mmCIF file of all heavy atoms in Angstrom:
data_model
loop_
_atom_site.group_PDB
_atom_site.id
_atom_site.type_symbol
_atom_site.label_atom_id
_atom_site.label_comp_id
_atom_site.label_asym_id
_atom_site.label_seq_id
_atom_site.Cartn_x
_atom_site.Cartn_y
_atom_site.Cartn_z
ATOM 1 N N LYS A 39 -13.014 -4.459 -13.970
ATOM 2 C CA LYS A 39 -13.681 -3.340 -14.605
ATOM 3 C C LYS A 39 -13.914 -2.203 -13.601
ATOM 4 O O LYS A 39 -14.732 -1.343 -13.889
ATOM 5 C CB LYS A 39 -15.001 -3.802 -15.167
ATOM 6 C CG LYS A 39 -14.852 -4.801 -16.315
ATOM 7 C CD LYS A 39 -14.190 -4.137 -17.543
ATOM 8 C CE LYS A 39 -14.189 -5.084 -18.734
ATOM 9 N NZ LYS A 39 -13.598 -4.459 -19.880
ATOM 10 N N ASP A 40 -13.271 -2.224 -12.445
ATOM 11 C CA ASP A 40 -13.434 -1.220 -11.455
ATOM 12 C C ASP A 40 -12.874 0.143 -11.873
ATOM 13 O O ASP A 40 -11.653 0.240 -12.038
ATOM 14 C CB ASP A 40 -12.856 -1.594 -10.085
ATOM 15 C CG ASP A 40 -13.322 -0.773 -8.954
ATOM 16 O OD1 ASP A 40 -13.553 0.448 -9.134
ATOM 17 O OD2 ASP A 40 -13.457 -1.281 -7.813
ATOM 18 N N PHE A 41 -13.716 1.148 -12.135
ATOM 19 C CA PHE A 41 -13.282 2.422 -12.625
ATOM 20 C C PHE A 41 -12.681 3.273 -11.524
ATOM 21 O O PHE A 41 -11.893 4.214 -11.777
ATOM 22 C CB PHE A 41 -14.457 3.206 -13.276
ATOM 23 C CG PHE A 41 -15.499 3.562 -12.322
ATOM 24 C CD1 PHE A 41 -15.460 4.716 -11.625
ATOM 25 C CD2 PHE A 41 -16.634 2.695 -12.087
ATOM 26 C CE1 PHE A 41 -16.475 5.058 -10.667
ATOM 27 C CE2 PHE A 41 -17.552 3.045 -11.189
ATOM 28 C CZ PHE A 41 -17.526 4.248 -10.441
ATOM 29 N N ALA A 42 -12.909 2.921 -10.251
ATOM 30 C CA ALA A 42 -12.479 3.807 -9.167
ATOM 31 C C ALA A 42 -11.196 3.267 -8.530
ATOM 32 O O ALA A 42 -10.465 4.068 -7.946
ATOM 33 C CB ALA A 42 -13.524 3.929 -8.111
ATOM 34 N N PHE A 43 -10.934 1.978 -8.582
ATOM 35 C CA PHE A 43 -9.706 1.432 -8.005
ATOM 36 C C PHE A 43 -9.188 0.348 -8.911
ATOM 37 O O PHE A 43 -9.703 -0.771 -8.928
ATOM 38 C CB PHE A 43 -9.996 0.884 -6.601
ATOM 39 C CG PHE A 43 -8.787 0.774 -5.746
ATOM 40 C CD1 PHE A 43 -8.125 1.931 -5.288
ATOM 41 C CD2 PHE A 43 -8.278 -0.460 -5.456
ATOM 42 C CE1 PHE A 43 -7.007 1.792 -4.503
ATOM 43 C CE2 PHE A 43 -7.085 -0.619 -4.698
ATOM 44 C CZ PHE A 43 -6.519 0.541 -4.193
ATOM 45 N N ALA A 44 -8.203 0.681 -9.679
ATOM 46 C CA ALA A 44 -7.655 -0.187 -10.712
ATOM 47 C C ALA A 44 -6.876 -1.380 -10.124
ATOM 48 O O ALA A 44 -6.379 -1.332 -8.964
ATOM 49 C CB ALA A 44 -6.742 0.590 -11.661
ATOM 50 N N LEU A 45 -6.805 -2.449 -10.837
ATOM 51 C CA LEU A 45 -6.172 -3.655 -10.441
ATOM 52 C C LEU A 45 -4.649 -3.409 -10.066
ATOM 53 O O LEU A 45 -4.214 -4.073 -9.180
ATOM 54 C CB LEU A 45 -6.220 -4.738 -11.496
ATOM 55 C CG LEU A 45 -7.551 -5.527 -11.536
ATOM 56 C CD1 LEU A 45 -7.525 -6.459 -12.754
ATOM 57 C CD2 LEU A 45 -7.862 -6.192 -10.268
ATOM 58 N N ASP A 46 -3.985 -2.532 -10.827
ATOM 59 C CA ASP A 46 -2.544 -2.361 -10.466
ATOM 60 C C ASP A 46 -2.355 -1.748 -9.078
ATOM 61 O O ASP A 46 -1.423 -2.092 -8.382
ATOM 62 C CB ASP A 46 -1.854 -1.595 -11.546
ATOM 63 C CG ASP A 46 -2.477 -0.225 -11.893
ATOM 64 O OD1 ASP A 46 -3.625 0.031 -11.432
ATOM 65 O OD2 ASP A 46 -1.842 0.527 -12.666
ATOM 66 N N GLY A 47 -3.356 -0.916 -8.627
ATOM 67 C CA GLY A 47 -3.261 -0.383 -7.280
ATOM 68 C C GLY A 47 -3.482 -1.486 -6.245
ATOM 69 O O GLY A 47 -2.849 -1.553 -5.182
ATOM 70 N N THR A 48 -4.417 -2.371 -6.565
ATOM 71 C CA THR A 48 -4.722 -3.513 -5.695
ATOM 72 C C THR A 48 -3.506 -4.386 -5.586
ATOM 73 O O THR A 48 -3.168 -4.926 -4.456
ATOM 74 C CB THR A 48 -5.922 -4.259 -6.127
ATOM 75 O OG1 THR A 48 -7.046 -3.422 -6.215
ATOM 76 C CG2 THR A 48 -6.268 -5.468 -5.228
ATOM 77 N N MET A 49 -2.804 -4.612 -6.701
ATOM 78 C CA MET A 49 -1.639 -5.473 -6.651
ATOM 79 C C MET A 49 -0.494 -4.923 -5.800
ATOM 80 O O MET A 49 0.230 -5.667 -5.163
ATOM 81 C CB MET A 49 -1.113 -5.725 -8.118
ATOM 82 C CG MET A 49 -2.089 -6.499 -9.012
ATOM 83 S SD MET A 49 -2.710 -7.981 -8.303
ATOM 84 C CE MET A 49 -4.440 -7.602 -8.092
ATOM 85 N N LYS A 50 -0.390 -3.604 -5.760
ATOM 86 C CA LYS A 50 0.628 -3.002 -4.883
ATOM 87 C C LYS A 50 0.314 -3.335 -3.406
ATOM 88 O O LYS A 50 1.200 -3.726 -2.622
ATOM 89 C CB LYS A 50 0.667 -1.497 -5.135
ATOM 90 C CG LYS A 50 1.750 -0.759 -4.298
ATOM 91 C CD LYS A 50 1.697 0.745 -4.611
ATOM 92 C CE LYS A 50 2.737 1.441 -3.748
ATOM 93 N NZ LYS A 50 2.762 2.872 -3.926
ATOM 94 N N ALA A 51 -0.899 -3.212 -3.056
ATOM 95 C CA ALA A 51 -1.371 -3.536 -1.699
ATOM 96 C C ALA A 51 -1.242 -4.988 -1.390
ATOM 97 O O ALA A 51 -0.760 -5.413 -0.324
ATOM 98 C CB ALA A 51 -2.768 -3.046 -1.411
ATOM 99 N N LEU A 52 -1.647 -5.773 -2.348
ATOM 100 C CA LEU A 52 -1.526 -7.234 -2.210
ATOM 101 C C LEU A 52 -0.139 -7.724 -1.961
ATOM 102 O O LEU A 52 0.102 -8.524 -1.054
ATOM 103 C CB LEU A 52 -2.125 -7.922 -3.444
ATOM 104 C CG LEU A 52 -2.135 -9.448 -3.460
ATOM 105 C CD1 LEU A 52 -3.240 -10.006 -2.568
ATOM 106 C CD2 LEU A 52 -2.277 -9.997 -4.879
ATOM 107 N N SER A 53 0.834 -7.123 -2.681
ATOM 108 C CA SER A 53 2.244 -7.581 -2.491
ATOM 109 C C SER A 53 2.806 -7.158 -1.177
ATOM 110 O O SER A 53 3.779 -7.715 -0.738
ATOM 111 C CB SER A 53 3.068 -7.081 -3.704
ATOM 112 O OG SER A 53 3.145 -5.659 -3.661
ATOM 113 N N ALA A 54 2.235 -6.102 -0.559
ATOM 114 C CA ALA A 54 2.694 -5.644 0.698
ATOM 115 C C ALA A 54 2.193 -6.445 1.861
ATOM 116 O O ALA A 54 2.852 -6.512 2.910
ATOM 117 C CB ALA A 54 2.332 -4.146 0.877
ATOM 118 N N ALA A 55 1.005 -7.019 1.745
ATOM 119 C CA ALA A 55 0.362 -7.658 2.854
ATOM 120 C C ALA A 55 1.105 -8.998 3.168
ATOM 121 O O ALA A 55 1.558 -9.649 2.301
ATOM 122 C CB ALA A 55 -1.123 -7.938 2.550
ATOM 123 N N GLN A 56 1.127 -9.340 4.474
ATOM 124 C CA GLN A 56 1.795 -10.559 4.919
ATOM 125 C C GLN A 56 0.867 -11.792 4.744
ATOM 126 O O GLN A 56 1.414 -12.864 4.516
ATOM 127 C CB GLN A 56 2.256 -10.443 6.342
ATOM 128 C CG GLN A 56 3.360 -9.518 6.615
ATOM 129 C CD GLN A 56 3.834 -9.540 8.025
ATOM 130 O OE1 GLN A 56 3.859 -10.599 8.676
ATOM 131 N NE2 GLN A 56 4.243 -8.381 8.556
ATOM 132 N N LYS A 57 -0.424 -11.590 4.903
ATOM 133 C CA LYS A 57 -1.305 -12.692 4.744
ATOM 134 C C LYS A 57 -2.492 -12.355 3.811
ATOM 135 O O LYS A 57 -3.650 -12.179 4.210
ATOM 136 C CB LYS A 57 -1.880 -13.098 6.093
ATOM 137 C CG LYS A 57 -0.886 -13.660 7.091
ATOM 138 C CD LYS A 57 -1.482 -14.006 8.398
ATOM 139 C CE LYS A 57 -0.372 -14.532 9.364
ATOM 140 N NZ LYS A 57 -0.971 -14.886 10.656
ATOM 141 N N PRO A 58 -2.134 -12.154 2.533
ATOM 142 C CA PRO A 58 -3.182 -11.667 1.619
ATOM 143 C C PRO A 58 -4.065 -12.812 0.983
ATOM 144 O O PRO A 58 -3.558 -13.955 0.788
ATOM 145 C CB PRO A 58 -2.321 -11.087 0.480
ATOM 146 C CG PRO A 58 -1.089 -11.949 0.430
ATOM 147 C CD PRO A 58 -0.854 -12.217 1.897
ATOM 148 N N TYR A 59 -5.242 -12.502 0.667
ATOM 149 C CA TYR A 59 -6.155 -13.320 -0.034
ATOM 150 C C TYR A 59 -6.786 -12.382 -1.111
ATOM 151 O O TYR A 59 -6.998 -11.229 -0.852
ATOM 152 C CB TYR A 59 -7.331 -13.839 0.798
ATOM 153 C CG TYR A 59 -6.840 -14.847 1.846
ATOM 154 C CD1 TYR A 59 -6.251 -14.497 3.024
ATOM 155 C CD2 TYR A 59 -7.041 -16.226 1.656
ATOM 156 C CE1 TYR A 59 -5.797 -15.370 3.931
ATOM 157 C CE2 TYR A 59 -6.583 -17.165 2.575
ATOM 158 C CZ TYR A 59 -5.995 -16.725 3.745
ATOM 159 O OH TYR A 59 -5.551 -17.640 4.706
#
Side-chain angles (χ1 to χ4, degrees):
K39 295 293 184 180
D40 193 325
F41 65 88
F43 200 72
L45 281 176
D46 53 351
T48 301
M49 294 309 113
K50 183 178 178 184
L52 181 77
S53 67
Q56 289 187 36
K57 295 183 181 176
Y59 292 78

